[in-house]
Amino acid sequence: MNGKGTTARTRLERGRGALGPALELVHTGRAPTRAVLTAELGVTRATAGAVAAELEALGLIRVDSRPGAGAGSQGRPSHRLSIDDKGPVALAAQVHADGFRAALVGLGGRIVATAPVRSTVTADPAQVLGEVVEAGAGLLRTTGLRCVGAGLAVPSAVAEPEGTALNPLHLAWPAGAPVREIFAERVRAAGIEGPAFTGNDVNLAALAEHRHGAGRGAQHLLCVATGHRGVGGALVLDGRLHTGSAGLALEVGHLTVNPEGRPCYCGSKGCLDVEADPLAFLTAAGRAPGPEVSLLQQARDLLRTEHADPAVRRATEELIDRLGLGLAGLVNILNPDRIILGGLHRELLDADPERLRAVVADRSLWGRSGGVPILPCTLDHNSLVGAAEVAWQPVLDDPLGALAP
Amino acid sequence: MNGKGTTARTRLERGRGALGPALELVHTGRAPTRAVLTAELGVTRATAGAVAAELEALGLIRVDSRPGAGAGSQGRPSHRLSIDDKGPVALAAQVHADGFRAALVGLGGRIVATAPVRSTVTADPAQVLGEVVEAGAGLLRTTGLRCVGAGLAVPSAVAEPEGTALNPLHLAWPAGAPVREIFAERVRAAGIEGPAFTGNDVNLAALAEHRHGAGRGAQHLLCVATGHRGVGGALVLDGRLHTGSAGLALEVGHLTVNPEGRPCYCGSKGCLDVEADPLAFLTAAGRAPGPEVSLLQQARDLLRTEHADPAVRRATEELIDRLGLGLAGLVNILNPDRIILGGLHRELLDADPERLRAVVADRSLWGRSGGVPILPCTLDHNSLVGAAEVAWQPVLDDPLGALAP
DNA sequence: GTTACTTTGTGCCGCACCTAAACAAAGTAG
DNA sequence: CTACTTTGTTTAGGTGCGGCACAAAGTAAC
C-alpha cells in the first residue's frame, strides 16, 4: 500500500536539497523507479521516497503502484515513476525563415500540443512575436494546463545579458532587436505566468538533444548544424549550455576550412559559413537556388533524390571534407566526447558517415580525440523542445521554490 | 577578547559545507576579514565565525585580533584573516626544455621555498622526475612543513584520465610516457604524503593566473602562451580548468592563421603552431636560431634589444597579426571575458598592444566580444604555482575531509 | 568624557534536510 | 510453504545553518 494522499501531505516540507536533482533524473528518463532514483542520487531509500512523494504532491510526477520493470527479476518490484501528463507545461516558440510555431512542452521533452505553423514572418519582431505568443496562449486556453514559463528560439546569436538578436539576417529583422524583451512583454501581456527566455536555435537544439535525444549522457557535447545560411554551433558542458561570457560562444562559422576558398563577408576566405551551408552545396553541385522553398529543403532534396548524379556526388564529398575540417578544428579546441549534427550536416553524415569520420580523425591532433562519435540528431523539433527546456530550468533547479509561491 | 583556543575547540565539528568556499576565498585573497567572508559566502556572521575558527583549528589560516583594514572607518574593526605561514604546503614541480625545478607553495600561491634549477633533462622521465621529487623532498625536510600533495607541470598535452604525456617532444621523452604514474610513484617512494597530480604547463599557468594573477575574477579566462616550440592554450571556466573530455582541449596550435603560410607537420599549412612561436619569429626576422640558449630566450632578446631593426619590426608585426587572427578565432568559439598571454606572446603584446587588440577586434564577429581585455601574465613561475594549485584542490574542496584523516 | 551610533563577533535555540536502523511488503526460487 | 531478495516506510537522531539577542569595539558628536 502506497498511502498516496496522507503520506505525501506529511512529507510536503521535506526534501528540498535533493528535489531538483531528482526531478532532473525523472525528466531525462534516468530514474524509472524509486530504487534507481535512490542509487542515482546517492541517498537513502527513505530520502528518495520522500522526494518522490513531494514531487508527486507538486503535480509533476506520478508514482504508479503497477508493474515497474525493475532491475533483476528477484525482490520486490519497484513502483514506476512517470511524468504526470496532467502536469504543467512550458510554452515553447520558434521563429525561423520559413515561419513560426508555438507548442506546449511538458516534462521529459514531450510535446503536448502544437499550433499550426504560419509562414508569414514580417520585418517587425513585435508583430511576429505577438502572433506566436497568442498562438501559444490559445493552446494554453484550450488545454487548460498550467504554464511554468516560456522560451523562444531564434536563428541568430543572442547577446547576454541583454537578449538582443545580433544577426537575425534571414528574418529581415533589424540587427540588435531586443527579442527577449519583446517576447517577455508579449508573454506578460497575454496573461501567461512565469519567466520568459530567449536563445539561439542551435544552442537550444543542443540542449534538447542532450537531455532527450542523441546527446544523452555526454559530458562535453558539441552540436553543429546548418539550416538556411551559415553554420551554427553549440556546446553543452556538464548538462549546461555554454554560451560564453556574452552569449557569443560557438560562433563556429568563421573557422577556415578551405585556404583557397571563396571570400567570406567576415573579410577572410574559405570560412565554414560559406563553404558548408546549403547554398554552398547547391553551388558546388552547379545548381542555381530557386526562391520557392528554403535553401535547406532544396539542398536536402538534391542530396536525397539525385545522389547518383556525379556533380551531386562531388559536391557531397567536398562539403563533407570542409565540414570535417571544421569539426576537427573544434575537436582540437573543445575536445568533446560526442558530436551531433543537424540540418544539412545531418544529411551529409547520413550520406557518407565513414568519410566524415575519417576526415575528422585524420585532422584531429590525437587519434583519441579524433575518434569522437559523430551522430545525427534524433529529436523532432529540437529547437522547440530546447526552448521549453530553458523555461523549465528554474523548476528543475528548485521545484519547490519555483512552483510554491 | 576573541577566545581563540576554547571557542575554536567547541566549534570544531561545525561548518562542513561552507568550509571549502570559505578557504577558497581566503586563498584567493577575496576575504581579508570575517565581515567580508560573511558577505561573500552569503551566510550569517555566526556561521562565518565558526568556519573561520575551524579553518584556524586546522592550521590553515590565522585570525589576527590586530587592526584589520575593514570597510568603513565606522563600527567595530574587523579581525584580519590571513594565511598561516606555518601551515602546510604543496610540493610543486616543473619540467621544461631548459631544466627542472621544485618548490613548496603555501596557500595564497606563496612560494615558500625553491630548489635551484637543474638543467640536465635526460631522455628518461623516471630519472628526471626522481631527481625533481628528491629536490622537493629535501625542501620539505629542511623546512619541516606538512605537505598536502604534489603537482607536476610538463610541456606536453596530458591525456586524461591516464596521465600520459602525448607530445613531450622537446624533452626527448617518449610520446605517451606515463608521467603521472611515474611522478606519483616517485612521490610515494620519497615518503611524501598526499595525492600527486600532473598537468600541462600552460593549463596550470592559466589556473594560477586565474587565482592569484591577472586572471582574478574572470569567469571565462583564455590563456595563450608560447615557450619553446608550438603554441599552448588553456581555458578556466568558473574557476575550474577546462581540459575537455580527454584532457586534450585547447590544442590551439592548429588554427589556420595564414592561408598562404608554411606547411605544418599536421598536414595543413599556416597553423598557429608554426606561424607564431619563437622559431617563427626568428625566421621571420631573418635570423638563424643558435643552439646556446632556448628559442624563447633568443626571440625575447631579439625583440627587446633590436626592436629598432626594420626586419625585427616587420617580424614583430607579422607575428602580432598571426597571433591576433588565432585569438580572434578562439574568441569566436569561446567568447572569453579576458585573455592572458604568456611567453613570447606576452612580449609581443607589450611591444604593440594596440595592434594586437585591433586585429582581434577586427576579426572577431561582434565588436563586443572583440573588445575583450588582453593582458600579460603577471605571476612569476605561474606553471609552478598552478601545479601546487591542483595539489591544493582537494583541501580547497573539502578541508576537513582532506586534512582530518 | 560621556553618549549615541555603527559595525563586528558570539551564544543559544530551532528548523530543514538527511542518515541509520528496524520493520513491513511484495515479489522470486526452490 | 519457506527462504531469500529487493523495495518502501516508519521512527529516531544528528549535522549544518539561520535567526535573534546581546556583547564588544571602534568612531562621531557634544
Side-chain angles (χ1 to χ4, degrees):
Chain A
M1 182 131 328
N2 61 333
K4 272 211 273 191
T6 58
T7 310
R9 190 59 67 75
T10 56
R11 306 239 161 184
L12 226 159
E13 56 280 340
R14 302 189 54 181
R16 199 183 211 96
L19 218 53
L23 182 57
E24 191 164 324
L25 285 169
V26 179
H27 173 57
T28 54
R30 283 176 295 164
T33 68
R34 271 185 289 201
V36 178
L37 185 64
T38 302
E40 291 287 320
L41 285 177
V43 297
T44 59
R45 287 199 298 272
T47 304
V51 162
E54 171 123 21
L55 290 177
E56 190 174 30
L58 284 171
L60 295 171
I61 70 169
R62 281 182 13 202
V63 183
D64 300 348
S65 46
R66 279 307 120 206
S73 57
Q74 277 193 10
R76 173 177 173 174
S78 193
H79 297 172
R80 171 163 297 278
L81 300 180
S82 59
I83 287 153
D84 192 335
D85 50 14
K86 304 288 182 207
V89 293
L91 171 59
Q94 185 180 12
V95 182
H96 59 119
D98 299 329
F100 60 84
R101 113 177 63 203
L104 304 183
V105 184
L107 280 176
R110 193 174 59 95
I111 297 180
V112 176
T114 319
V117 183
R118 310 270 189 89
S119 53
T120 50
V121 174
T122 72
D124 179 14
Q127 189 197 331
V128 173
L129 295 182
E131 284 185 49
V132 72
V133 167
E134 195 41 57
L139 292 175
L140 282 172
R141 277 192 300 273
T142 57
T143 59
L145 295 169
R146 182 176 175 188
C147 180
V148 297
L152 168 70
V154 295
S156 159
V158 177
E160 300 292 342
E162 310 91 326
T164 53
L166 291 179
N167 56 344
L169 302 178
H170 48 271
L171 290 181
W173 285 0
V179 285
R180 177 173 304 154
E181 199 178 295
I182 296 171
F183 182 61
E185 192 268 326
R186 295 289 158 169
V187 166
R188 246 196 331 271
I192 297 168
E193 49 187 336
F197 300 90
T198 303
N200 168 266
D201 52 0
V202 178
N203 276 336
L204 297 176
L207 189 60
E209 291 286 344
H210 179 269
R211 303 232 174 127
H212 311 295
R216 253 151 126 152
Q219 253 199 318
H220 302 249
L221 177 67
L222 171 64
C223 212
V224 173
T226 180
H228 192 74
R229 292 296 309 278
V231 175
L235 182 69
V236 180
L237 282 182
D238 296 320
R240 300 276 161 167
L241 211 42
H242 173 79
T243 56
S245 65
L248 307 178
L250 274 296
E251 281 292 335
V252 301
H254 299 277
L255 282 166
T256 302
V257 295
N258 181 13
E260 282 89 27
R262 62 201 83 179
C264 174
Y265 56 89
C266 78
S268 184
K269 63 182 182 181
C271 290
L272 192 62
D273 243 9
V274 295
E275 297 278 345
D277 73 346
L279 181 61
F281 179 66
L282 293 170
T283 309
R287 311 296 167 109
E292 322 80 36
V293 294
S294 72
L295 289 173
L296 172 61
Q297 198 56 51
Q298 293 175 53
R300 189 182 270 154
D301 288 347
L302 186 64
L303 182 57
R304 285 186 180 168
T305 62
E306 299 186 46
H307 57 87
D309 182 330
V312 173
R313 186 177 202 84
R314 264 199 314 278
T316 305
E317 292 181 350
E318 190 180 306
L319 255 79
I320 286 178
D321 291 350
R322 304 281 181 255
L323 173 62
L325 221 58
L327 292 180
L330 289 170
V331 163
N332 287 336
I333 294 171
L334 302 172
N335 185 216
D337 56 5
R338 201 174 307 173
I339 299 176
I340 292 182
L341 301 182
L344 183 64
H345 292 163
R346 182 221 156 108
E347 312 283 334
L348 291 169
L349 173 65
D350 287 341
D352 193 347
E354 287 319 307
R355 187 182 184 100
L356 181 60
R357 294 201 176 100
V359 175
V360 174
D362 192 46
R363 304 308 284 266
S364 304
L365 274 187
W366 321 109
R368 294 186 44 175
S369 57
V372 53
I374 307 177
L375 308 171
C377 58
T378 59
L379 217 59
D380 289 337
H381 309 302
N382 46 19
S383 294
L384 209 51
V385 172
E389 212 60 44
V390 292
W392 269 109
Q393 197 61 55
V395 179
L396 294 171
D397 287 339
D398 179 8
L400 215 49
L403 291 179
Chain B
M1 171 156 321
N2 62 334
K4 272 212 275 192
T6 59
T7 311
R9 190 59 69 74
T10 56
R11 306 238 160 188
L12 225 160
E13 57 281 340
R14 302 188 55 180
R16 199 183 210 96
L19 218 53
L23 182 58
E24 191 163 325
L25 285 169
V26 179
H27 174 56
T28 54
R30 284 176 294 164
T33 68
R34 271 186 288 201
V36 178
L37 185 64
T38 301
E40 291 288 321
L41 285 178
V43 298
T44 59
R45 287 198 298 272
T47 304
V51 163
E54 171 122 20
L55 291 176
E56 189 173 30
L58 286 171
L60 294 172
I61 72 169
R62 282 181 13 202
V63 183
D64 301 347
S65 46
R66 281 307 121 206
S73 58
Q74 277 194 11
R76 174 176 172 173
S78 193
H79 297 172
R80 170 161 298 278
L81 299 180
S82 59
I83 287 154
D84 191 335
D85 50 14
K86 304 286 182 210
V89 292
L91 171 58
Q94 185 180 12
V95 181
H96 59 119
D98 299 329
F100 60 85
R101 116 177 62 204
L104 303 183
V105 183
L107 280 176
R110 192 174 58 95
I111 296 180
V112 175
T114 320
V117 183
R118 309 269 189 90
S119 53
T120 50
V121 174
T122 72
D124 179 14
Q127 188 196 330
V128 173
L129 295 182
E131 284 185 49
V132 73
V133 167
E134 194 41 58
L139 291 176
L140 282 172
R141 277 192 298 272
T142 57
T143 58
L145 294 170
R146 181 176 175 189
C147 180
V148 297
L152 168 69
V154 294
S156 159
V158 177
E160 299 293 342
E162 310 90 326
T164 53
L166 291 180
N167 56 344
L169 303 178
H170 49 270
L171 290 181
W173 286 0
V179 285
R180 177 173 304 153
E181 200 178 296
I182 295 172
F183 182 62
E185 193 268 325
R186 295 289 158 168
V187 166
R188 247 195 329 271
I192 298 168
E193 49 187 337
F197 301 90
T198 303
N200 169 266
D201 53 359
V202 177
N203 275 337
L204 297 175
L207 189 59
E209 289 287 343
H210 180 269
R211 303 233 173 125
H212 311 294
R216 253 150 125 150
Q219 254 199 316
H220 301 249
L221 177 68
L222 171 64
C223 214
V224 172
T226 181
H228 192 73
R229 291 296 308 278
V231 175
L235 182 69
V236 180
L237 281 183
D238 296 321
R240 300 277 161 163
L241 211 42
H242 173 79
T243 55
S245 65
L248 307 178
L250 273 298
E251 282 292 334
V252 301
H254 300 277
L255 282 167
T256 303
V257 295
N258 182 12
E260 282 89 30
R262 62 200 85 178
C264 174
Y265 56 90
C266 78
S268 183
K269 63 183 183 180
C271 290
L272 192 62
D273 243 10
V274 295
E275 297 278 344
D277 72 347
L279 181 62
F281 178 66
L282 293 170
T283 307
R287 310 297 168 107
E292 322 80 36
V293 295
S294 72
L295 291 172
L296 173 60
Q297 198 56 52
Q298 293 176 55
R300 188 182 270 153
D301 288 346
L302 185 63
L303 181 57
R304 284 185 180 168
T305 61
E306 300 187 45
H307 58 86
D309 181 330
V312 173
R313 186 177 201 85
R314 263 198 315 276
T316 305
E317 292 181 350
E318 190 180 306
L319 256 79
I320 287 177
D321 290 351
R322 305 278 181 257
L323 173 63
L325 223 56
L327 292 180
L330 289 170
V331 163
N332 286 337
I333 294 172
L334 302 171
N335 185 217
D337 55 6
R338 201 175 307 174
I339 298 176
I340 291 181
L341 301 181
L344 183 63
H345 292 163
R346 182 220 156 107
E347 312 283 334
L348 291 169
L349 173 65
D350 287 343
D352 194 346
E354 287 319 307
R355 187 182 183 99
L356 182 61
R357 295 202 175 99
V359 175
V360 174
D362 192 46
R363 304 307 284 268
S364 304
L365 273 187
W366 322 108
R368 295 186 43 176
S369 57
V372 53
I374 306 178
L375 308 171
C377 58
T378 59
L379 216 59
D380 290 338
H381 309 303
N382 45 21
S383 294
L384 209 51
V385 173
E389 213 61 44
V390 292
W392 268 110
Q393 197 60 55
V395 179
L396 294 170
D397 287 340
D398 179 8
L400 214 49
L403 292 179

